[in-house]
Structure formats: C-alpha cells, structure tokens
Amino acid sequence: MPEQQNIEYKQSWRDEYLKWICGFANAQGGKIFIGIDDKGMVTGVPDYKKLMEDIPNKSVNHLGLVIDVNLHEEAGKRYIEIVVPQSHIPISYQGNFHYRSGSTKQELKGISLQNWLLKKNGKRWEDLPVPGHSIDNLDEGAIKSFVAKAIAKDRIPAEAENDSIETLLENLNLLQNGQLTNASVLLFSKRPSVVSGSASFKIGRFG
C-alpha cells in the first residue's frame, strides 16, 4: 500500500519524526510504520525493543500525546506501527505546529496558522469581535442600501426596514457580546482597514 493521507512509511526511527506524529494529530490522525520502505516493503528494525519504549515516552514528553505503538512481524522481520489519534486541541512540537496534508507534512505559519488555530477552537476570523469599534463607526447609508436590496430579493423580511441597526446586526450574527465583528466592520465600516489592510471580497453570481 503506498503512502497516503493517513499512512507514512519510515525505514528507521529518528526523533525528528515526532513532527510527523504532531502533523497526523493535528489533521485526521493516521499511522506511521517504522521498518517499511517507501514501496511498502518490510525491511525490519533491529532495535525494535528499545523503540517500543522510547517512542511512546517521547510522544508524551514532547507532544503531550498518548499514542499506540504496536509490534508486527512479516517473514521474520519485525516492524513497528505507530497509531496516532486525531487531536481536538492544537498539538505543537518545540513550539511549531505541523499538519499532515496529502502525503506531505507541512509546518503551519502566518495566516494559515491563525486560521487553523481559530478553526481548531471552533471559531472563525470573521466572527471575532473588534475592540474599540462601535456602531457609530459604521456607514448608515451602506446599511440602509443593503437592507433595501435584501428585502427586494426576499432575503430578509420587510419588517427589517424598521429595525434598529443594532437589532439588524444581531439578527445577521454580526455582533458578538455587543461588539462588532470583523465581518461587520468589513461589510459596513467607514474604515474597514482597521481589521485588515489587504482584505478583499469575492462575489459569485448563480442562476
């Protein structure tokens, strides 16, 4: 069986492969086989007894992650199967976050890391509140234009025309605990650059 999203082959163990364990845990989980080459052929590992003890200990000590380490044998050659569960919390190795994508391991950085951490914690960037930005900073004309067009397209009820701006934003999930969100600022603020100087919109029309 070739390497894939959830399977990785290594002929021998190196401590740097803790990054692969980290990557699997941060993605969908998976298995790492030690003592098998890239073609899926068993080559065996001579120090399997030591590895059976070292690998789970290093996973706990460096990643805080409990994994299953199983010993198998084929044609008199022993190989190790490392079963990595999917983690519901972010896992880092030496302060860096790794992620399994396809048959590769990637280190998450910058915006990719920020978005992934938010998603891992059940949040989205557009839903985050913007401190210090109030409804007074919004463009009332833009909001009224939006409401009129949304009503005309039957996207929101006609009664929304009489709602206050605060009520309208709450109904559209554009307020979090009374604070404007990144989405509401990008959509209606007079100064959308306060949340992002490089944000852009992509709009698709269907039908």
Side-chain angles (χ1 to χ4, degrees):
M1 182 182 296
E3 291 184 336
Q4 51 187 273
Q5 172 72 27
N6 300 319
I7 295 177
E8 177 78 22
Y9 296 134
K10 300 295 182 185
Q11 286 190 258
S12 60
W13 171 260
R14 297 178 183 175
D15 285 351
E16 68 179 273
Y17 295 153
L18 288 168
K19 297 177 183 178
W20 271 258
I21 295 177
C22 176
F24 275 123
N26 284 330
Q28 302 171 14
K31 296 180 179 181
I32 303 174
F33 293 91
I34 309 299
I36 298 182
D37 64 21
D38 291 340
K39 298 180 180 179
M41 301 297 293
V42 176
T43 57
V45 284
D47 54 345
Y48 63 89
K49 290 184 179 179
K50 184 175 186 297
L51 292 178
M52 289 291 293
E53 184 175 333
D54 286 352
I55 294 174
N57 286 339
K58 289 178 178 179
S59 178
V60 170
N61 293 336
H62 293 280
L63 303 172
L65 191 66
V66 176
I67 57 176
D68 289 326
V69 180
N70 305 312
L71 182 64
H72 299 282
E73 183 175 345
E74 182 177 311
K77 297 178 181 178
R78 294 180 174 86
Y79 65 97
I80 291 173
E81 174 194 40
I82 303 171
V83 182
V84 184
Q86 180 182 20
S87 175
H88 297 294
I89 62 172
I91 301 295
S92 67
Y93 175 64
Q94 295 182 346
N96 298 316
F97 294 89
H98 301 272
Y99 189 85
R100 177 74 171 191
S101 178
S103 59
T104 67
K105 177 198 69 64
Q106 300 177 356
E107 183 179 338
L108 297 174
K109 298 179 180 179
I111 295 298
S112 296
L113 175 59
Q114 293 178 32
N115 290 335
W116 176 78
L117 287 173
L118 287 171
K119 182 179 179 181
K120 203 71 172 175
N121 288 295
K123 299 178 181 179
R124 298 182 301 177
W125 178 85
E126 57 264 35
D127 295 330
L128 296 180
V130 183
H133 212 69
S134 69
I135 291 178
D136 294 335
N137 298 119
L138 300 184
D139 186 333
E140 188 173 347
I143 296 174
K144 288 182 177 180
S145 176
F146 162 78
V147 171
K149 292 179 180 179
I151 291 175
K153 294 293 185 179
D154 292 325
R155 301 301 299 270
I156 61 176
E159 294 79 17
E161 190 173 18
N162 300 318
D163 290 340
S164 67
I165 292 179
E166 184 174 359
T167 299
L168 179 68
L169 294 175
E170 287 178 348
N171 291 338
L172 294 173
N173 296 318
L174 294 175
L175 282 181
Q176 288 285 349
N177 300 318
Q179 288 186 303
L180 296 178
T181 63
N182 283 323
S184 60
V185 171
L186 285 178
L187 289 168
F188 300 124
S189 177
K190 300 171 185 175
R191 296 184 296 111
S193 60
V194 297
V195 295
S196 176
S198 59
S200 61
F201 289 92
K202 290 185 178 180
I203 301 174
R205 179 176 179 177
F206 304 91

